[in-house]
Amino acid sequence: MEIQNNLSNELKRDLLEKIQEDALPMRTLMSYYRCAIMEVETKFRVLNEEFSIEREHNPIETIKSRLKSPESIIKKMQSRNLPLTVSAIEENLFDIAGIRVICSFQNDIYLMAKYLLSQDDIQLLEVKDYIKQPKENGYRSLHLIVRVPIFLHKEKRGVNVEVQLRTIAMDSWASLEHKIRYKKELDPETLDKISASLLECAHLSAELDEKMQNIHEQIAIK
């Protein structure tokens, strides 16, 4: 515990020193990521509005966003032995700005991803489909790393944003799994049992998504 506290204090000192040294560049960088989040979020809201009018269906239930804290950024850079510079952060971390899009049905996930990526100002950098190929623990989601332009008063600048698309069931499972798995007081044997139960729940969640999709398609045909 003492070692962990010392490391934490050391990290905080590094953070404070870095903030003092590069306060303006870091604040400027974080503002770029906030602007990029707004750009991508607006694109999804426009798509959702369009679908609600043309197809009488809102594919998006909710949109959540998050921005990594400077402390998390520095910790991640240090874990990779990378220099704590603004340029190194931009070049090596792709998940500083994050958007999570919660869709009604699984098909909506791929539909929203398709229409987002078809926009001529969006550049796809990476895709990881954890729906078709779930993680070993049962996690499912579609992850996209995209580059979106933000328009500043003197320039146009490309900024990376991580987009996660999930159904309601996928998001509920992931949220609860995170809360349960990171309970520090659980012993290894209990964690193994819980992991097995969580994997079973993930399979049930996937089955629920499939059944709800089928029902939705039957209604849409009629």
Side-chain angles (χ1 to χ4, degrees), residues 84-104:
L84 295 176
T85 63
V86 166
S87 59
I89 290 171
E90 285 188 284
E91 291 169 7
N92 293 280
L93 299 187
F94 301 132
D95 62 345
I96 294 176
I99 292 279
R100 184 174 298 159
V101 181
I102 314 301
C103 294
S104 304

PDB file of all heavy atoms in Angstrom, residues 84-104:
ATOM      1  N   LEU A  84       6.465  12.977 -22.726  1.00  0.00           N
ATOM      2  CA  LEU A  84       5.268  13.713 -22.339  1.00  0.00           C
ATOM      3  C   LEU A  84       5.204  15.041 -23.091  1.00  0.00           C
ATOM      4  O   LEU A  84       5.319  16.119 -22.502  1.00  0.00           O
ATOM      5  CB  LEU A  84       5.254  13.936 -20.830  1.00  0.00           C
ATOM      6  CG  LEU A  84       5.145  12.679 -19.966  1.00  0.00           C
ATOM      7  CD1 LEU A  84       5.244  13.026 -18.495  1.00  0.00           C
ATOM      8  CD2 LEU A  84       3.846  11.946 -20.245  1.00  0.00           C
ATOM      9  N   THR A  85       5.006  14.932 -24.392  1.00  0.00           N
ATOM     10  CA  THR A  85       4.873  16.117 -25.230  1.00  0.00           C
ATOM     11  C   THR A  85       3.523  16.085 -25.931  1.00  0.00           C
ATOM     12  O   THR A  85       2.947  15.003 -26.140  1.00  0.00           O
ATOM     13  CB  THR A  85       5.987  16.187 -26.289  1.00  0.00           C
ATOM     14  OG1 THR A  85       5.864  15.056 -27.169  1.00  0.00           O
ATOM     15  CG2 THR A  85       7.362  16.185 -25.629  1.00  0.00           C
ATOM     16  N   VAL A  86       3.045  17.248 -26.303  1.00  0.00           N
ATOM     17  CA  VAL A  86       1.747  17.334 -26.968  1.00  0.00           C
ATOM     18  C   VAL A  86       1.760  16.554 -28.283  1.00  0.00           C
ATOM     19  O   VAL A  86       0.812  15.827 -28.602  1.00  0.00           O
ATOM     20  CB  VAL A  86       1.372  18.817 -27.215  1.00  0.00           C
ATOM     21  CG1 VAL A  86       0.201  18.923 -28.192  1.00  0.00           C
ATOM     22  CG2 VAL A  86       1.020  19.503 -25.909  1.00  0.00           C
ATOM     23  N   SER A  87       2.832  16.675 -29.043  1.00  0.00           N
ATOM     24  CA  SER A  87       2.911  15.975 -30.329  1.00  0.00           C
ATOM     25  C   SER A  87       2.913  14.460 -30.136  1.00  0.00           C
ATOM     26  O   SER A  87       2.263  13.727 -30.894  1.00  0.00           O
ATOM     27  CB  SER A  87       4.160  16.403 -31.097  1.00  0.00           C
ATOM     28  OG  SER A  87       5.335  16.129 -30.348  1.00  0.00           O
ATOM     29  N   ALA A  88       3.628  13.972 -29.105  1.00  0.00           N
ATOM     30  CA  ALA A  88       3.671  12.530 -28.835  1.00  0.00           C
ATOM     31  C   ALA A  88       2.302  12.022 -28.400  1.00  0.00           C
ATOM     32  O   ALA A  88       1.887  10.906 -28.757  1.00  0.00           O
ATOM     33  CB  ALA A  88       4.712  12.238 -27.760  1.00  0.00           C
ATOM     34  N   ILE A  89       1.588  12.817 -27.630  1.00  0.00           N
ATOM     35  CA  ILE A  89       0.245  12.443 -27.193  1.00  0.00           C
ATOM     36  C   ILE A  89      -0.675  12.300 -28.405  1.00  0.00           C
ATOM     37  O   ILE A  89      -1.405  11.316 -28.541  1.00  0.00           O
ATOM     38  CB  ILE A  89      -0.310  13.491 -26.202  1.00  0.00           C
ATOM     39  CG1 ILE A  89       0.443  13.410 -24.872  1.00  0.00           C
ATOM     40  CG2 ILE A  89      -1.815  13.275 -25.965  1.00  0.00           C
ATOM     41  CD1 ILE A  89       0.134  14.534 -23.911  1.00  0.00           C
ATOM     42  N   GLU A  90      -0.641  13.284 -29.284  1.00  0.00           N
ATOM     43  CA  GLU A  90      -1.498  13.250 -30.475  1.00  0.00           C
ATOM     44  C   GLU A  90      -1.181  12.060 -31.367  1.00  0.00           C
ATOM     45  O   GLU A  90      -2.078  11.443 -31.949  1.00  0.00           O
ATOM     46  CB  GLU A  90      -1.336  14.541 -31.274  1.00  0.00           C
ATOM     47  CG  GLU A  90      -2.023  15.743 -30.676  1.00  0.00           C
ATOM     48  CD  GLU A  90      -1.994  16.939 -31.611  1.00  0.00           C
ATOM     49  OE1 GLU A  90      -0.929  17.564 -31.714  1.00  0.00           O
ATOM     50  OE2 GLU A  90      -3.035  17.229 -32.243  1.00  0.00           O
ATOM     51  N   GLU A  91       0.097  11.726 -31.483  1.00  0.00           N
ATOM     52  CA  GLU A  91       0.528  10.679 -32.404  1.00  0.00           C
ATOM     53  C   GLU A  91       0.328   9.267 -31.866  1.00  0.00           C
ATOM     54  O   GLU A  91       0.233   8.313 -32.645  1.00  0.00           O
ATOM     55  CB  GLU A  91       2.011  10.870 -32.738  1.00  0.00           C
ATOM     56  CG  GLU A  91       2.297  12.112 -33.578  1.00  0.00           C
ATOM     57  CD  GLU A  91       3.784  12.429 -33.660  1.00  0.00           C
ATOM     58  OE1 GLU A  91       4.583  11.589 -33.161  1.00  0.00           O
ATOM     59  OE2 GLU A  91       4.148  13.481 -34.196  1.00  0.00           O
ATOM     60  N   ASN A  92       0.231   9.120 -30.541  1.00  0.00           N
ATOM     61  CA  ASN A  92       0.215   7.774 -29.956  1.00  0.00           C
ATOM     62  C   ASN A  92      -1.062   7.379 -29.222  1.00  0.00           C
ATOM     63  O   ASN A  92      -1.320   6.191 -29.056  1.00  0.00           O
ATOM     64  CB  ASN A  92       1.401   7.631 -28.994  1.00  0.00           C
ATOM     65  CG  ASN A  92       2.738   7.658 -29.698  1.00  0.00           C
ATOM     66  OD1 ASN A  92       3.173   6.658 -30.261  1.00  0.00           O
ATOM     67  ND2 ASN A  92       3.409   8.808 -29.675  1.00  0.00           N
ATOM     68  N   LEU A  93      -1.847   8.337 -28.784  1.00  0.00           N
ATOM     69  CA  LEU A  93      -3.086   8.023 -28.067  1.00  0.00           C
ATOM     70  C   LEU A  93      -4.287   8.358 -28.944  1.00  0.00           C
ATOM     71  O   LEU A  93      -4.452   9.505 -29.371  1.00  0.00           O
ATOM     72  CB  LEU A  93      -3.162   8.797 -26.751  1.00  0.00           C
ATOM     73  CG  LEU A  93      -2.065   8.532 -25.718  1.00  0.00           C
ATOM     74  CD1 LEU A  93      -2.392   9.239 -24.407  1.00  0.00           C
ATOM     75  CD2 LEU A  93      -1.864   7.041 -25.474  1.00  0.00           C
ATOM     76  N   PHE A  94      -5.108   7.354 -29.206  1.00  0.00           N
ATOM     77  CA  PHE A  94      -6.257   7.546 -30.086  1.00  0.00           C
ATOM     78  C   PHE A  94      -7.597   7.523 -29.356  1.00  0.00           C
ATOM     79  O   PHE A  94      -8.646   7.615 -29.998  1.00  0.00           O
ATOM     80  CB  PHE A  94      -6.252   6.470 -31.180  1.00  0.00           C
ATOM     81  CG  PHE A  94      -5.023   6.474 -32.034  1.00  0.00           C
ATOM     82  CD1 PHE A  94      -4.332   5.297 -32.301  1.00  0.00           C
ATOM     83  CD2 PHE A  94      -4.536   7.654 -32.573  1.00  0.00           C
ATOM     84  CE1 PHE A  94      -3.188   5.306 -33.092  1.00  0.00           C
ATOM     85  CE2 PHE A  94      -3.393   7.675 -33.358  1.00  0.00           C
ATOM     86  CZ  PHE A  94      -2.721   6.504 -33.623  1.00  0.00           C
ATOM     87  N   ASP A  95      -7.573   7.365 -28.050  1.00  0.00           N
ATOM     88  CA  ASP A  95      -8.825   7.252 -27.304  1.00  0.00           C
ATOM     89  C   ASP A  95      -9.002   8.376 -26.282  1.00  0.00           C
ATOM     90  O   ASP A  95      -9.730   8.218 -25.301  1.00  0.00           O
ATOM     91  CB  ASP A  95      -8.899   5.896 -26.596  1.00  0.00           C
ATOM     92  CG  ASP A  95      -7.781   5.695 -25.580  1.00  0.00           C
ATOM     93  OD1 ASP A  95      -6.790   6.470 -25.617  1.00  0.00           O
ATOM     94  OD2 ASP A  95      -7.892   4.772 -24.746  1.00  0.00           O
ATOM     95  N   ILE A  96      -8.347   9.513 -26.497  1.00  0.00           N
ATOM     96  CA  ILE A  96      -8.498  10.637 -25.571  1.00  0.00           C
ATOM     97  C   ILE A  96      -9.922  11.170 -25.628  1.00  0.00           C
ATOM     98  O   ILE A  96     -10.565  11.412 -24.598  1.00  0.00           O
ATOM     99  CB  ILE A  96      -7.483  11.751 -25.901  1.00  0.00           C
ATOM    100  CG1 ILE A  96      -6.061  11.247 -25.639  1.00  0.00           C
ATOM    101  CG2 ILE A  96      -7.771  12.995 -25.066  1.00  0.00           C
ATOM    102  CD1 ILE A  96      -4.976  12.236 -26.023  1.00  0.00           C
ATOM    103  N   ALA A  97     -10.430  11.352 -26.837  1.00  0.00           N
ATOM    104  CA  ALA A  97     -11.819  11.768 -27.034  1.00  0.00           C
ATOM    105  C   ALA A  97     -12.643  10.538 -27.364  1.00  0.00           C
ATOM    106  O   ALA A  97     -12.277   9.760 -28.245  1.00  0.00           O
ATOM    107  CB  ALA A  97     -11.911  12.795 -28.156  1.00  0.00           C
ATOM    108  N   GLY A  98     -13.738  10.351 -26.646  1.00  0.00           N
ATOM    109  CA  GLY A  98     -14.555   9.165 -26.862  1.00  0.00           C
ATOM    110  C   GLY A  98     -16.039   9.483 -26.963  1.00  0.00           C
ATOM    111  O   GLY A  98     -16.562  10.323 -26.235  1.00  0.00           O
ATOM    112  N   ILE A  99     -16.694   8.819 -27.911  1.00  0.00           N
ATOM    113  CA  ILE A  99     -18.148   8.907 -28.083  1.00  0.00           C
ATOM    114  C   ILE A  99     -18.713   7.496 -27.991  1.00  0.00           C
ATOM    115  O   ILE A  99     -18.202   6.573 -28.627  1.00  0.00           O
ATOM    116  CB  ILE A  99     -18.511   9.496 -29.463  1.00  0.00           C
ATOM    117  CG1 ILE A  99     -18.111  10.959 -29.567  1.00  0.00           C
ATOM    118  CG2 ILE A  99     -20.010   9.330 -29.732  1.00  0.00           C
ATOM    119  CD1 ILE A  99     -19.061  11.923 -28.939  1.00  0.00           C
ATOM    120  N   ARG A 100     -19.748   7.322 -27.171  1.00  0.00           N
ATOM    121  CA  ARG A 100     -20.428   6.024 -27.097  1.00  0.00           C
ATOM    122  C   ARG A 100     -21.861   6.205 -27.583  1.00  0.00           C
ATOM    123  O   ARG A 100     -22.621   6.997 -27.019  1.00  0.00           O
ATOM    124  CB  ARG A 100     -20.417   5.487 -25.669  1.00  0.00           C
ATOM    125  CG  ARG A 100     -21.033   4.086 -25.549  1.00  0.00           C
ATOM    126  CD  ARG A 100     -20.865   3.564 -24.140  1.00  0.00           C
ATOM    127  NE  ARG A 100     -19.450   3.447 -23.805  1.00  0.00           N
ATOM    128  CZ  ARG A 100     -18.988   3.416 -22.556  1.00  0.00           C
ATOM    129  NH1 ARG A 100     -19.809   3.505 -21.531  1.00  0.00           N
ATOM    130  NH2 ARG A 100     -17.690   3.313 -22.336  1.00  0.00           N
ATOM    131  N   VAL A 101     -22.198   5.486 -28.641  1.00  0.00           N
ATOM    132  CA  VAL A 101     -23.527   5.586 -29.242  1.00  0.00           C
ATOM    133  C   VAL A 101     -24.312   4.318 -28.899  1.00  0.00           C
ATOM    134  O   VAL A 101     -23.899   3.208 -29.273  1.00  0.00           O
ATOM    135  CB  VAL A 101     -23.421   5.761 -30.773  1.00  0.00           C
ATOM    136  CG1 VAL A 101     -24.806   5.885 -31.390  1.00  0.00           C
ATOM    137  CG2 VAL A 101     -22.574   6.984 -31.108  1.00  0.00           C
ATOM    138  N   ILE A 102     -25.404   4.495 -28.178  1.00  0.00           N
ATOM    139  CA  ILE A 102     -26.238   3.355 -27.773  1.00  0.00           C
ATOM    140  C   ILE A 102     -27.404   3.251 -28.742  1.00  0.00           C
ATOM    141  O   ILE A 102     -28.238   4.163 -28.831  1.00  0.00           O
ATOM    142  CB  ILE A 102     -26.776   3.524 -26.333  1.00  0.00           C
ATOM    143  CG1 ILE A 102     -25.647   3.972 -25.393  1.00  0.00           C
ATOM    144  CG2 ILE A 102     -27.419   2.226 -25.854  1.00  0.00           C
ATOM    145  CD1 ILE A 102     -24.473   3.048 -25.317  1.00  0.00           C
ATOM    146  N   CYS A 103     -27.442   2.151 -29.484  1.00  0.00           N
ATOM    147  CA  CYS A 103     -28.466   1.956 -30.511  1.00  0.00           C
ATOM    148  C   CYS A 103     -29.577   1.033 -30.037  1.00  0.00           C
ATOM    149  O   CYS A 103     -29.406   0.247 -29.108  1.00  0.00           O
ATOM    150  CB  CYS A 103     -27.826   1.386 -31.776  1.00  0.00           C
ATOM    151  SG  CYS A 103     -26.668   2.525 -32.575  1.00  0.00           S
ATOM    152  N   SER A 104     -30.706   1.135 -30.717  1.00  0.00           N
ATOM    153  CA  SER A 104     -31.858   0.310 -30.345  1.00  0.00           C
ATOM    154  C   SER A 104     -31.640  -1.156 -30.712  1.00  0.00           C
ATOM    155  O   SER A 104     -31.895  -2.052 -29.903  1.00  0.00           O
ATOM    156  CB  SER A 104     -33.113   0.835 -31.056  1.00  0.00           C
ATOM    157  OG  SER A 104     -33.324   2.194 -30.773  1.00  0.00           O
TER     158      SER A 104
END
